[in-house]
Amino acid sequence: MVIDMKILGIESSCDETAAAVVEDGKTVLSNIVASQIDEHKLYGGVVPEIASRRHCENIHTVVTGALIEADCTLNDIDAIAVTYAPGLIGALLVGVSFAKGLAMDTGLPLVPVHHISGHIAANYISNPRLKPPYMALVVSGGHSHIIEVLDYTKYRIVGRTRDDAAGECFDKVARTIGYPYPGGKSIDDASKRGNPEAYTLPHPHVAGSEYDFSFSGLKTAVINLVHNSLQKGEQLNYDDLCASFQKTISEILVSNTIKAAADSGYKTIAVSGGVSANSGLKKLLSDECRKCGFEFFCPEFKYCGDNGAMIASQGYFDFLSGKRADESLNALPTLPITEV
Ligand code: KG4
Ligand code: ZN
């Protein structure tokens, strides 16, 4: 194990320009996130061209801020880790180009990090006791995966969504109701005031793939309920609808994950990604884990959504496994975590 290794992590795959300095994969010395949410909110979702432009404008300040907050200069950094896949191509390219420039200028090693590996590593920061192997549920705006984490850099995809990601489903339901982008937090807040038993919603299953998810049927059911009621001039109780939706999507995510862990003989489950901030999902997964005698891990709130610390953390493990990139590194909009 390399001791006191400081990694600068850079993340720009979607609408957060983020950088952090993390020591030995778990001790966060700084974590700076410049969120673009307020601007994308005006359009009801992320506008890729705007995201790229804002990353260009923010990246220098964010990376400099991460070094200052960590009380470091580039001379104290041992390697630069950057998200290179998957994500919005124009957004990813900003972080990748900046990281390549820094690496070439300083001679520091460049470590390419997969965004989902980064979400998984968020748990090593918040829960240093967590060690592979275990079963992970990664739920974000772009991904819903059940992943067997065989080692810090080795994975097997056990289940995935066939259509919408869980976060996307939260965001689309929220938009239909009239809540601002991104909708997960608004639905979570409304759910706390509502009755989760008020509406019975579908629990779609994917025939022949017991661990895969399909959320489009659930999303359409909620959207149709809202539209039909508006056409009839009736007002639904949105707090009840949000609570029922949140309960249903949580039940789907939790039942597949618990089954995947049990069938593979794991007694540890770790959830991460933006949707892991959801209070209903966290409670249900933690309750079910307790019932099954499983250990449950979740990142602290600040490491659930996109951030640079999770990239620096995973960068440490990728560095130790020998992963390196040079100036030919390119950004990739799609890349399975098993092909890193
Ligand atoms: O991981 P993330 O920040 O970005 C991606 O990699 O996609 O995840 C963003 C997603 C959004 O869809 C957002 O609505 C969702 O995470 N989210 C939540 C909550 N907070 C953020 N979903 C449900 N409940 C929340 N409290
Ligand atoms: Zn993410």
Side-chain angles (χ1 to χ4, degrees):
M1 222 11 107
V2 183
I3 300 296
D4 290 343
M5 181 164 190
K6 289 187 183 68
I7 308 253
L8 170 67
I10 300 176
E11 155 65 37
S12 71
S13 67
C14 190
D15 57 352
E16 258 97 31
T17 320
V21 178
V22 176
E23 202 165 72
D24 297 339
K26 55 185 187 303
T27 307
V28 178
L29 304 183
S30 66
N31 187 40
I32 306 283
V33 181
S35 174
Q36 308 172 2
I37 282 178
D38 285 345
E39 192 165 2
H40 295 295
K41 221 176 228 173
L42 303 172
Y43 306 94
V46 177
V47 182
E49 290 77 8
I50 293 178
S52 312
R53 193 173 290 253
R54 295 296 165 261
H55 286 311
C56 288
E57 290 165 3
N58 293 336
I59 193 144
H60 183 268
T61 313
V62 167
V63 171
T64 309
L67 290 169
I68 292 171
E69 192 175 288
D71 205 11
C72 284
T73 68
L74 282 169
N75 290 332
D76 303 308
I77 299 296
D78 297 293
I80 298 166
V82 64
T83 307
Y84 75 111
L88 299 170
I89 185 67
L92 285 165
L93 276 168
V94 178
V96 167
S97 307
F98 195 86
K100 284 201 291 190
L102 269 187
M104 284 169 74
D105 185 41
T106 56
L108 286 169
L110 179 64
V111 184
V113 174
H114 191 279
H115 185 75
I116 300 181
S117 310
H119 275 303
I120 290 172
N123 264 311
Y124 303 133
I125 298 170
S126 297
N127 306 291
R129 218 157 45 78
L130 174 66
K131 293 193 170 48
Y134 60 90
M135 199 58 81
L137 171 66
V138 185
V139 268
S140 69
H143 312 277
S144 303
H145 281 71
I146 298 174
I147 296 173
E148 184 180 1
V149 182
L150 298 157
D151 201 339
Y152 290 99
T153 58
K154 289 196 186 67
Y155 313 92
R156 181 175 73 90
I157 298 175
V158 177
R160 73 182 92 207
T161 183
R162 293 299 184 96
D163 37 57
D164 292 349
E168 206 176 342
C169 196
F170 269 97
D171 294 341
K172 286 181 179 160
V173 165
R175 185 154 76 175
T176 306
I177 291 176
Y179 295 157
Y181 171 84
K185 168 86 171 66
S186 313
I187 291 191
D188 201 350
D189 291 344
S191 297
K192 290 176 185 142
R193 302 183 294 263
N195 171 13
E197 308 302 331
Y199 296 95
T200 304
L201 299 169
H203 284 68
H205 293 283
V206 180
S209 302
E210 53 189 343
Y211 311 119
D212 280 357
F213 305 110
S214 167
F215 295 120
S216 70
L218 170 61
K219 175 193 72 182
T220 307
V222 179
I223 292 174
N224 286 346
L225 260 175
V226 174
H227 286 164
N228 290 342
S229 74
L230 290 175
Q231 277 161 13
K232 289 187 208 149
E234 294 166 4
Q235 178 59 54
L236 292 178
N237 181 321
Y238 286 156
D239 289 346
D240 285 351
L241 186 61
C242 286
S244 304
F245 164 72
Q246 182 168 294
K247 170 179 167 269
T248 307
I249 196 163
S250 300
E251 283 170 353
I252 298 167
L253 289 166
V254 170
S255 65
N256 285 19
T257 308
I258 294 272
K259 185 161 177 22
D263 291 352
S264 304
Y266 287 111
K267 287 188 165 296
T268 302
I269 290 179
V271 66
S272 57
V275 181
S276 68
N278 186 267
S279 59
L281 172 63
K282 263 196 293 199
K283 179 162 186 341
L284 187 65
L285 192 48
S286 137
D287 288 350
E288 290 304 309
C289 281
R290 194 171 320 112
K291 278 186 211 158
C292 297
F294 294 176
E295 256 203 300
F296 168 70
F297 293 97
C298 182
E300 293 155 81
F301 178 75
K302 62 184 167 190
Y303 302 128
C304 288
D306 292 347
N307 64 85
M310 68 186 200
I311 302 305
S313 172
Q314 183 56 35
Y316 172 74
F317 297 109
D318 284 338
F319 179 90
L320 293 185
S321 78
K323 223 166 128 194
R324 301 287 185 276
D326 59 20
E327 64 279 3
S328 66
L329 177 68
N330 202 0
L332 299 168
T334 55
L335 178 74
I337 191 173
T338 43
E339 288 176 23
V340 293

